[in-house]
Protein backbone atom coordinates (compact mmCIF):
# COMPACT_ATOMS: atom_id res chain seq x y z
CA UNK A 1 0.00 0.00 0.00
CA UNK A 2 1.27 3.46 -0.92
CA UNK A 3 1.67 5.75 2.08
CA UNK A 4 1.94 9.50 1.54
CA UNK A 5 4.21 11.65 3.72
CA UNK A 6 3.70 15.37 4.30
CA UNK A 7 5.71 17.84 2.26
CA UNK A 8 8.91 18.92 4.01
CA UNK A 9 8.16 21.90 6.19
CA UNK A 10 9.98 24.91 7.58
CA UNK A 11 7.42 25.11 10.39
CA UNK A 12 9.45 25.52 13.58
CA UNK A 13 8.94 22.96 16.32
CA UNK A 14 6.91 25.31 18.48
CA UNK A 15 5.39 22.50 20.45
CA UNK A 16 1.71 23.23 19.86
CA UNK A 17 -0.48 20.13 19.42
CA UNK A 18 -0.50 20.77 15.65
CA UNK A 19 3.30 20.91 15.56
CA UNK A 20 3.55 17.68 17.57
CA UNK A 21 1.20 15.96 15.13
CA UNK A 22 3.33 17.25 12.22
CA UNK A 23 6.46 15.74 13.81
CA UNK A 24 4.70 12.37 14.02
CA UNK A 25 3.33 12.63 10.44
CA UNK A 26 6.77 13.43 9.01
CA UNK A 27 8.36 10.49 10.81
CA UNK A 28 10.60 12.70 12.98
CA UNK A 29 8.93 11.54 16.20
CA UNK A 30 7.52 8.15 17.11
CA UNK A 31 6.96 8.54 20.83
CA UNK A 32 6.27 11.04 23.58
CA UNK A 33 9.95 11.04 24.51
CA UNK A 34 10.91 11.86 20.88
CA UNK A 35 8.52 14.80 21.02
CA UNK A 36 9.96 16.06 24.31
CA UNK A 37 13.52 15.76 23.00
CA UNK A 38 12.80 17.55 19.69
CA UNK A 39 10.66 20.37 21.09
CA UNK A 40 12.41 20.83 24.44
CA UNK A 41 9.02 20.71 26.16
CA UNK A 42 8.65 19.10 29.58
CA UNK A 43 7.39 15.50 29.31
CA UNK A 44 4.30 16.49 31.31
CA UNK A 45 3.46 19.22 28.74
CA UNK A 46 4.00 16.80 25.85
CA UNK A 47 1.69 14.37 27.66
CA UNK A 48 -1.09 16.97 27.90
CA UNK A 49 -0.82 17.91 24.22
CA UNK A 50 -0.63 14.30 23.06
CA UNK A 51 -3.78 13.67 25.11
CA UNK A 52 -5.44 16.55 23.23
CA UNK A 53 -4.57 14.88 19.93
CA UNK A 54 -5.71 11.45 21.18
CA UNK A 55 -9.01 12.98 22.28
CA UNK A 56 -9.40 14.67 18.89
CA UNK A 57 -8.97 11.24 17.32
CA UNK A 58 -6.16 12.18 14.92
CA UNK A 59 -3.44 10.40 16.87
CA UNK A 60 -3.29 6.89 18.26
CA UNK A 61 -0.83 5.14 20.52
CA UNK A 62 0.00 1.58 19.58
CA UNK A 63 2.27 -1.33 20.35
CA UNK A 64 5.05 -1.55 22.84
CA UNK A 65 8.78 -1.28 22.49
CA UNK A 66 11.75 -1.39 24.81
CA UNK A 67 12.91 2.13 25.59
CA UNK A 68 15.31 2.93 28.41
CA UNK A 69 14.28 -0.18 30.26
CA UNK A 70 10.62 0.87 30.21
CA UNK A 71 7.96 0.12 27.71
CA UNK A 72 7.37 3.02 25.30
CA UNK A 73 4.28 3.16 23.17
CA UNK A 74 4.44 4.35 19.58
CA UNK A 75 2.50 7.31 18.31
CA UNK A 76 0.84 7.18 14.90
CA UNK A 77 -1.68 9.24 12.99
CA UNK A 78 -5.01 7.46 13.36
CA UNK A 79 -6.01 6.41 9.84
CA UNK A 80 -9.51 5.56 11.06
CA UNK A 81 -10.19 9.18 11.98
CA UNK A 82 -11.09 10.31 8.48
CA UNK A 83 -10.43 10.27 4.75
CA UNK A 84 -9.47 12.72 2.03
CA UNK A 85 -10.26 12.39 -1.67
CA UNK A 86 -8.62 13.60 -4.87
CA UNK A 87 -9.90 13.89 -8.42
CA UNK A 88 -7.51 14.37 -11.34
CA UNK A 89 -9.27 15.64 -14.44
CA UNK A 90 -7.27 15.23 -17.65
CA UNK A 91 -8.02 15.95 -21.30
CA UNK A 92 -8.74 12.24 -21.83
CA UNK A 93 -8.93 10.71 -18.35
CA UNK A 94 -10.32 11.10 -14.86
CA UNK A 95 -8.72 9.57 -11.76
CA UNK A 96 -10.32 9.33 -8.37
CA UNK A 97 -8.37 8.46 -5.22
CA UNK A 98 -9.02 8.17 -1.51
CA UNK A 99 -6.54 8.05 1.38
CA UNK A 100 -7.01 7.83 5.12
CA UNK A 101 -5.62 10.55 7.38
CA UNK A 102 -2.51 8.44 8.07
CA UNK A 103 -1.70 8.86 4.36
CA UNK A 104 -2.52 5.29 3.35
CA UNK A 105 -3.88 5.30 -0.20
CA UNK A 106 -7.04 3.19 0.03
CA UNK A 107 -7.95 3.38 -3.66
CA UNK A 108 -6.69 5.12 -6.80
CA UNK A 109 -8.51 4.29 -10.02
CA UNK A 110 -9.08 5.55 -13.51
CA UNK A 111 -12.62 6.53 -14.42
CA UNK A 112 -14.20 7.23 -17.81
CA UNK A 113 -13.45 10.66 -19.24
CA UNK A 114 -17.15 10.70 -20.22
CA UNK A 115 -17.82 11.90 -16.68
CA UNK A 116 -16.65 15.31 -17.85
CA UNK A 117 -19.41 17.49 -19.25
CA UNK A 118 -19.41 21.02 -20.66
CA UNK A 119 -21.68 21.85 -17.72
CA UNK A 120 -19.48 21.99 -14.58
CA UNK A 121 -22.48 21.32 -12.30
CA UNK A 122 -23.29 18.05 -14.09
CA UNK A 123 -19.61 17.07 -13.96
CA UNK A 124 -19.35 17.73 -10.23
CA UNK A 125 -22.56 15.73 -9.55
CA UNK A 126 -21.03 12.78 -11.41
CA UNK A 127 -17.63 13.10 -9.73
CA UNK A 128 -19.28 13.29 -6.33
CA UNK A 129 -21.14 10.03 -7.08
CA UNK A 130 -17.82 8.44 -8.04
CA UNK A 131 -16.23 9.53 -4.75
CA UNK A 132 -19.24 8.18 -2.83
CA UNK A 133 -19.02 4.86 -4.66
CA UNK A 134 -15.28 4.59 -4.01
CA UNK A 135 -15.71 5.43 -0.32
CA UNK A 136 -18.34 2.67 -0.06
CA UNK A 137 -15.98 0.22 -1.79
CA UNK A 138 -13.20 0.87 0.73
CA UNK A 139 -15.68 0.71 3.61
CA UNK A 140 -15.60 4.36 4.68
CA UNK A 141 -18.49 6.71 5.44
CA UNK A 142 -18.72 9.92 3.44
CA UNK A 143 -19.31 11.67 6.76
CA UNK A 144 -15.63 10.96 7.51
CA UNK A 145 -14.47 12.98 4.47
CA UNK A 146 -12.23 15.81 5.70
CA UNK A 147 -10.93 17.38 2.49
CA UNK A 148 -10.88 17.17 -1.30
CA UNK A 149 -8.41 18.26 -3.98
CA UNK A 150 -9.20 18.54 -7.69
CA UNK A 151 -6.52 18.73 -10.41
CA UNK A 152 -7.31 20.59 -13.65
CA UNK A 153 -5.17 20.69 -16.85
CA UNK A 154 -5.47 24.47 -17.08
CA UNK A 155 -4.27 27.59 -15.28
CA UNK A 156 -6.07 27.98 -11.94
CA UNK A 157 -6.20 31.40 -10.35
CA UNK A 158 -5.22 31.29 -6.66
CA UNK A 159 -6.28 31.61 -3.94
CA UNK A 160 -9.85 31.67 -5.30
CA UNK A 161 -9.48 28.47 -7.39
CA UNK A 162 -10.97 29.95 -10.59
CA UNK A 163 -10.25 28.01 -13.80
CA UNK A 164 -8.84 30.34 -16.46
CA UNK A 165 -9.10 29.72 -20.23
CA UNK A 166 -9.09 25.89 -20.11
CA UNK A 167 -8.26 24.54 -23.56
CA UNK A 168 -9.73 21.14 -22.65
CA UNK A 169 -13.15 22.55 -21.72
CA UNK A 170 -13.67 26.18 -22.84
CA UNK A 171 -17.09 26.42 -21.15
CA UNK A 172 -15.38 26.08 -17.74
CA UNK A 173 -13.64 29.44 -18.10
CA UNK A 174 -13.88 31.43 -14.82
CA UNK A 175 -15.66 28.50 -13.12
CA UNK A 176 -15.04 27.82 -9.42
CA UNK A 177 -15.54 24.06 -9.04
CA UNK A 178 -15.38 24.44 -5.25
CA UNK A 179 -18.74 26.29 -5.40
CA UNK A 180 -20.32 23.30 -7.14
CA UNK A 181 -18.80 20.81 -4.69
CA UNK A 182 -20.14 23.00 -1.86
CA UNK A 183 -23.64 21.81 -2.88
CA UNK A 184 -22.53 18.32 -1.71
CA UNK A 185 -20.07 18.95 1.12
CA UNK A 186 -18.80 21.52 3.57
CA UNK A 187 -15.21 20.19 3.64
CA UNK A 188 -12.45 22.35 2.10
CA UNK A 189 -12.08 21.79 -1.66
CA UNK A 190 -8.78 22.75 -3.30
CA UNK A 191 -8.77 23.22 -7.05
CA UNK A 192 -5.23 23.15 -8.37
CA UNK A 193 -3.38 23.05 -11.67
CA UNK A 194 -2.61 19.38 -12.32
CA UNK A 195 1.10 19.99 -12.93
CA UNK A 196 1.31 21.55 -9.45
CA UNK A 197 -0.29 18.40 -8.01
CA UNK A 198 2.18 16.36 -9.99
CA UNK A 199 5.08 18.36 -8.47
CA UNK A 200 3.60 17.83 -5.00
CA UNK A 201 3.40 14.08 -5.66
CA UNK A 202 7.07 13.99 -6.66
CA UNK A 203 8.50 16.18 -3.89
CA UNK A 204 10.78 14.05 -1.70
CA UNK A 205 9.40 13.10 1.71
CA UNK A 206 11.21 12.96 4.99
CA UNK A 207 11.72 16.63 5.64
CA UNK A 208 14.92 17.20 3.65
CA UNK A 209 14.33 20.80 2.64
CA UNK A 210 17.73 20.91 0.95
CA UNK A 211 16.45 18.58 -1.76
CA UNK A 212 12.89 19.85 -1.88
CA UNK A 213 13.40 22.01 -4.99
CA UNK A 214 11.49 20.29 -7.74
CA UNK A 215 10.59 21.24 -11.29
CA UNK A 216 8.01 18.71 -12.47
CA UNK A 217 7.27 18.70 -16.18
CA UNK A 218 4.26 16.90 -17.57
CA UNK A 219 4.84 15.84 -21.16
CA UNK A 220 1.56 14.57 -22.52
CA UNK A 221 -0.85 15.68 -25.20
CA UNK A 222 -0.04 19.09 -23.74
CA UNK A 223 2.90 20.40 -21.69
CA UNK A 224 2.65 21.70 -18.13
CA UNK A 225 4.95 22.21 -15.18
CA UNK A 226 4.78 22.65 -11.44
CA UNK A 227 7.38 24.13 -9.09
CA UNK A 228 8.19 23.19 -5.50
CA UNK A 229 10.62 25.59 -3.81
CA UNK A 230 11.92 24.52 -0.39
CA UNK A 231 8.94 22.23 0.12
CA UNK A 232 6.34 24.82 -0.86
CA UNK A 233 4.37 24.95 -4.12
CA UNK A 234 5.38 28.10 -5.95
CA UNK A 235 2.17 29.41 -7.51
CA UNK A 236 3.34 32.97 -8.19
CA UNK A 237 1.19 36.06 -7.65
CA UNK A 238 -2.11 34.61 -8.89
CA UNK A 239 -1.45 30.97 -9.70
CA UNK A 240 0.12 31.16 -13.16
CA UNK A 241 3.70 30.18 -12.18
CA UNK A 242 5.08 27.23 -14.14
CA UNK A 243 3.25 27.86 -17.42
CA UNK A 244 6.39 27.07 -19.41
CA UNK A 245 4.39 25.58 -22.26
CA UNK A 246 3.75 28.97 -23.83
CA UNK A 247 7.38 29.98 -24.07
CA UNK A 248 8.45 30.72 -27.63
CA UNK A 249 10.22 27.78 -29.29
CA UNK A 250 12.45 27.86 -32.35
CA UNK A 251 10.48 25.32 -34.42
CA UNK A 252 7.23 25.70 -36.36
CA UNK A 253 3.82 25.28 -34.72
CA UNK A 254 1.78 22.24 -35.81
CA UNK A 255 -1.35 23.07 -33.81
CA UNK A 256 -3.01 26.34 -32.82
CA UNK A 257 -2.76 27.41 -29.19
CA UNK A 258 -5.05 29.63 -27.13
CA UNK A 259 -2.06 31.72 -26.05
CA UNK A 260 -1.04 34.43 -28.47
CA UNK A 261 2.66 33.49 -28.44
CA UNK A 262 3.79 32.51 -31.95
CA UNK A 263 5.30 29.00 -32.09
CA UNK A 264 4.91 28.36 -28.35
CA UNK A 265 6.48 25.19 -26.94
CA UNK A 266 3.11 23.48 -26.67
CA UNK A 267 2.19 24.15 -30.31
CA UNK A 268 5.63 22.95 -31.44
CA UNK A 269 6.70 20.09 -29.17
CA UNK A 270 3.73 18.72 -27.19
CA UNK A 271 2.43 15.23 -27.92
CA UNK A 272 -0.60 16.77 -29.61
CA UNK A 273 1.66 18.89 -31.85
CA UNK A 274 3.82 15.90 -32.86
CA UNK A 275 0.80 13.73 -33.69
CA UNK A 276 -0.63 16.60 -35.79
CA UNK A 277 2.71 17.10 -37.59
CA UNK A 278 2.97 13.42 -38.54
CA UNK A 279 -0.66 13.35 -39.66
CA UNK A 280 0.01 16.37 -41.86
CA UNK A 281 2.78 14.35 -43.52
CA UNK A 282 0.31 11.58 -44.30
CA UNK A 283 0.85 9.27 -41.31
CA UNK A 284 -2.11 7.68 -39.50
CA UNK A 285 -1.39 7.98 -35.76
CA UNK A 286 -4.14 7.68 -33.18
CA UNK A 287 -2.60 9.38 -30.16
CA UNK A 288 0.57 10.14 -28.18
CA UNK A 289 0.73 6.59 -26.79
CA UNK A 290 0.98 5.20 -30.34
CA UNK A 291 3.53 7.90 -31.18
CA UNK A 292 5.72 6.80 -28.26
CA UNK A 293 5.35 3.15 -29.27
CA UNK A 294 6.37 3.87 -32.89
CA UNK A 295 9.42 5.70 -31.53
CA UNK A 296 10.31 2.72 -29.35
CA UNK A 297 9.94 0.45 -32.41
CA UNK A 298 12.54 2.57 -34.22
CA UNK A 299 10.30 4.19 -36.88
CA UNK A 300 12.90 6.62 -38.36
CA UNK A 301 10.49 9.48 -39.13
CA UNK A 302 8.88 9.28 -35.68
CA UNK A 303 12.25 9.00 -33.90
CA UNK A 304 13.47 12.16 -35.63
CA UNK A 305 10.30 14.07 -34.68
CA UNK A 306 10.65 12.90 -31.05
CA UNK A 307 14.34 13.87 -30.92
CA UNK A 308 13.62 17.33 -32.30
CA UNK A 309 10.85 17.79 -29.70
CA UNK A 310 13.27 16.68 -26.96
CA UNK A 311 15.77 19.32 -28.10
CA UNK A 312 13.08 22.03 -28.16
CA UNK A 313 11.82 21.13 -24.68
CA UNK A 314 15.38 20.80 -23.32
CA UNK A 315 16.30 24.24 -24.69
CA UNK A 316 13.24 25.84 -23.09
CA UNK A 317 13.83 24.00 -19.81
CA UNK A 318 17.47 25.01 -19.58
CA UNK A 319 16.50 28.66 -19.06
CA UNK A 320 14.11 27.69 -16.27
CA UNK A 321 16.59 25.28 -14.70
CA UNK A 322 19.32 27.96 -14.69
CA UNK A 323 16.85 30.42 -13.18
CA UNK A 324 15.36 28.12 -10.54
CA UNK A 325 18.25 25.73 -9.74
CA UNK A 326 16.14 22.69 -8.83
CA UNK A 327 17.49 19.49 -7.32
CA UNK A 328 15.07 17.35 -9.32
CA UNK A 329 13.65 17.79 -12.80
CA UNK A 330 10.90 15.19 -12.92
CA UNK A 331 9.53 14.12 -16.28
CA UNK A 332 6.08 12.57 -16.40
CA UNK A 333 3.21 12.05 -18.80
CA UNK A 334 2.98 9.74 -21.81
CA UNK A 335 5.76 11.46 -23.77
CA UNK A 336 8.21 10.99 -20.90
CA UNK A 337 8.17 7.28 -21.78
CA UNK A 338 9.86 8.05 -25.09
CA UNK A 339 13.55 7.13 -24.99
CA UNK A 340 14.56 9.28 -28.02
CA UNK A 341 12.72 12.34 -26.68
CA UNK A 342 14.09 12.08 -23.13
CA UNK A 343 17.67 11.41 -24.34
CA UNK A 344 17.60 14.51 -26.56
CA UNK A 345 16.02 16.59 -23.78
CA UNK A 346 18.66 15.54 -21.25
CA UNK A 347 21.52 16.15 -23.68
CA UNK A 348 20.25 19.65 -24.49
CA UNK A 349 19.68 20.45 -20.81
CA UNK A 350 23.14 19.37 -19.67
CA UNK A 351 24.77 21.03 -22.70
CA UNK A 352 23.18 24.43 -22.14
CA UNK A 353 22.85 24.77 -18.34
CA UNK A 354 25.46 26.23 -15.99
CA UNK A 355 27.83 23.60 -14.55
CA UNK A 356 26.95 24.55 -10.96
CA UNK A 357 23.27 24.06 -11.76
CA UNK A 358 23.76 20.61 -13.29
CA UNK A 359 26.38 19.43 -10.76
CA UNK A 360 23.83 17.61 -8.58
CA UNK A 361 20.82 17.91 -10.87
CA UNK A 362 18.71 14.77 -11.05
CA UNK A 363 16.72 14.60 -14.29
CA UNK A 364 14.51 11.63 -13.65
CA UNK A 365 11.28 9.90 -14.48
CA UNK A 366 8.32 10.17 -12.19
CA UNK A 367 8.59 7.80 -9.21
CA UNK A 368 4.88 7.08 -9.15
CA UNK A 369 3.84 5.78 -12.54
CA UNK A 370 0.11 6.14 -12.36
CA UNK A 371 -2.26 8.74 -11.02
CA UNK A 372 0.49 11.22 -10.31
CA UNK A 373 -1.75 14.21 -9.96
CA UNK A 374 -4.22 12.20 -7.89
CA UNK A 375 -1.42 11.30 -5.45
CA UNK A 376 -0.41 14.96 -5.29
CA UNK A 377 -4.04 15.87 -4.68
CA UNK A 378 -4.26 13.48 -1.74
CA UNK A 379 -1.02 14.89 -0.32
CA UNK A 380 -2.28 18.47 -0.71
CA UNK A 381 -5.60 17.61 0.95
CA UNK A 382 -3.85 15.79 3.83
CA UNK A 383 -1.39 18.65 4.41
CA UNK A 384 -4.30 21.08 4.47
CA UNK A 385 -6.55 19.04 6.76
CA UNK A 386 -3.71 18.26 9.18
CA UNK A 387 -1.99 21.64 8.95
CA UNK A 388 -0.63 22.59 12.40
CA UNK A 389 -2.72 25.78 12.55
CA UNK A 390 -5.91 23.93 11.72
CA UNK A 391 -5.20 21.16 14.22
CA UNK A 392 -4.48 23.75 16.93
CA UNK A 393 -7.79 25.40 16.11
CA UNK A 394 -9.65 22.08 16.38
CA UNK A 395 -7.98 21.34 19.71
CA UNK A 396 -9.02 24.81 20.93
CA UNK A 397 -12.60 24.25 19.79
CA UNK A 398 -12.78 20.81 21.43
CA UNK A 399 -11.58 22.34 24.71
CA UNK A 400 -14.26 25.01 24.57
CA UNK A 401 -16.90 22.46 23.61
CA UNK A 402 -17.13 23.64 19.98
CA UNK A 403 -18.01 21.35 17.10
CA UNK A 404 -15.29 19.69 15.00
ZN1 LIG B 1 0.67 28.39 -26.32
Amino acid sequence: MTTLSPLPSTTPALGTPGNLLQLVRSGHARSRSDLARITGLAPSTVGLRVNDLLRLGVLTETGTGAHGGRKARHLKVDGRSGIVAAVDIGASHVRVAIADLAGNVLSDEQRSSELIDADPGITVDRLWSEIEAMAATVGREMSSLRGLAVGIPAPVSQPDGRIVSPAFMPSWNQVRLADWFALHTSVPVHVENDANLYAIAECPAGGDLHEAHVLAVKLGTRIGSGIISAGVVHRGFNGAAGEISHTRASGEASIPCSCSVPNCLESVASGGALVARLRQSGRTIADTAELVQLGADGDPQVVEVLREAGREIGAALSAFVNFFNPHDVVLGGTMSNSGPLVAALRAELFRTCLPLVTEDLDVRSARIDTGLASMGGLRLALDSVLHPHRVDQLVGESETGGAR
Side-chain angles (χ1 to χ4, degrees):
M1 181 184 280
T2 305
T3 301
L4 302 166
S5 304
L7 289 175
S9 168
T10 48
T11 309
L14 297 172
T16 68
N19 289 133
L20 299 190
L21 180 67
Q22 185 74 5
L23 288 168
V24 174
R25 286 188 70 215
S26 62
H28 287 95
R30 295 185 64 201
S31 64
R32 293 171 186 238
S33 55
D34 287 348
L35 291 171
R37 177 176 49 77
I38 294 168
T39 60
L41 291 174
S44 56
T45 308
V46 167
L48 288 172
R49 294 185 185 164
V50 166
N51 287 343
D52 286 338
L53 294 167
L54 293 170
R55 197 172 57 244
L56 203 59
V58 292
L59 207 58
T60 180
E61 225 165 11
T62 60
T64 56
H67 185 80
R70 295 175 57 197
K71 285 186 174 177
R73 288 184 292 173
H74 288 158
L75 296 168
K76 293 200 309 186
V77 177
D78 193 343
R80 298 164 304 178
S81 58
I83 56 172
V84 293
V87 178
D88 170 31
I89 297 174
S92 56
H93 75 272
V94 176
R95 270 193 102 88
V96 180
I98 287 179
D100 67 21
L101 288 196
N104 299 307
V105 179
L106 305 177
S107 186
D108 175 31
E109 288 180 8
Q110 191 106 348
R111 294 285 187 257
S112 166
S113 60
E114 289 172 8
L115 291 170
I116 307 303
D117 190 90
D119 183 329
I122 291 174
T123 307
V124 166
D125 287 348
R126 291 173 181 167
L127 292 174
W128 186 253
S129 298
E130 292 293 324
I131 296 169
E132 285 180 325
M134 183 175 276
T137 304
V138 299
R140 298 299 181 108
E141 299 286 337
M142 282 303 279
S143 59
S144 71
L145 185 72
R146 298 283 178 262
L148 171 65
V150 183
I152 300 285
V156 179
S157 167
Q158 300 292 358
D160 59 346
R162 238 179 334 111
I163 299 168
V164 183
S165 304
F168 82 106
M169 191 59 79
S171 60
W172 288 17
N173 188 32
Q174 302 297 326
V175 163
R176 275 176 40 93
L177 286 186
D179 292 344
W180 292 100
F181 277 104
L183 300 174
H184 298 276
T185 179
S186 60
V187 303
V189 178
H190 303 271
V191 179
E192 184 70 79
N193 172 263
D194 62 351
N196 285 353
L197 293 186
Y198 168 41
I200 292 171
E202 286 293 328
C203 184
D208 189 348
L209 278 176
H210 177 65
E211 294 188 358
H213 298 277
V214 178
L215 179 61
V217 187
K218 194 174 172 190
L219 303 170
T221 307
R222 314 190 78 88
I223 296 174
S225 85
I227 303 161
I228 304 272
S229 179
V232 176
V233 183
H234 177 72
R235 296 183 176 91
F237 170 62
N238 58 8
E243 287 293 328
I244 66 169
S245 44
H246 307 294
T247 309
R248 188 162 189 169
S250 58
E252 288 291 318
S254 304
I255 52 169
C257 185
S258 56
C259 77
S260 52
V261 179
N263 301 325
C264 74
L265 189 64
E266 185 155 302
S267 65
V268 171
S270 65
L274 304 192
V275 169
R277 184 169 309 150
L278 287 160
R279 283 180 186 162
Q280 283 157 18
S281 73
R283 299 289 299 263
T284 313
I285 293 178
D287 51 21
T288 49
E290 187 182 349
L291 179 78
V292 170
Q293 186 56 51
L294 286 168
D297 294 342
D299 181 312
Q301 188 189 11
V302 173
V303 167
E304 185 44 41
V305 164
L306 288 166
R307 280 195 186 131
E308 184 51 36
R311 282 192 286 272
E312 288 277 13
I313 298 166
L317 276 184
S318 84
F320 298 111
V321 169
N322 270 345
F323 176 76
F324 173 48
N325 187 199
H327 181 273
D328 289 26
V329 171
V330 184
L331 305 175
T334 312
M335 303 294 287
S336 72
N337 297 320
S338 166
L341 183 143
V342 170
L345 186 159
R346 288 180 63 97
E348 187 66 18
L349 200 56
F350 281 90
R351 188 177 72 80
T352 54
C353 277
L354 279 174
L356 181 59
V357 167
T358 54
E359 200 171 74
D360 293 311
L361 179 67
D362 192 2
V363 180
R364 62 176 174 85
S365 306
R367 292 207 172 101
I368 307 168
D369 300 328
T370 54
L372 284 159
S374 59
M375 292 298 103
L378 292 177
R379 221 174 169 191
L380 177 70
L382 284 166
D383 279 9
S384 162
V385 168
L386 298 175
H387 191 281
H389 293 159
R390 188 166 181 279
V391 170
D392 291 342
Q393 198 181 348
L394 290 174
V395 167
E397 286 170 6
S398 74
E399 281 170 352
T400 56
R404 267 180 75 179

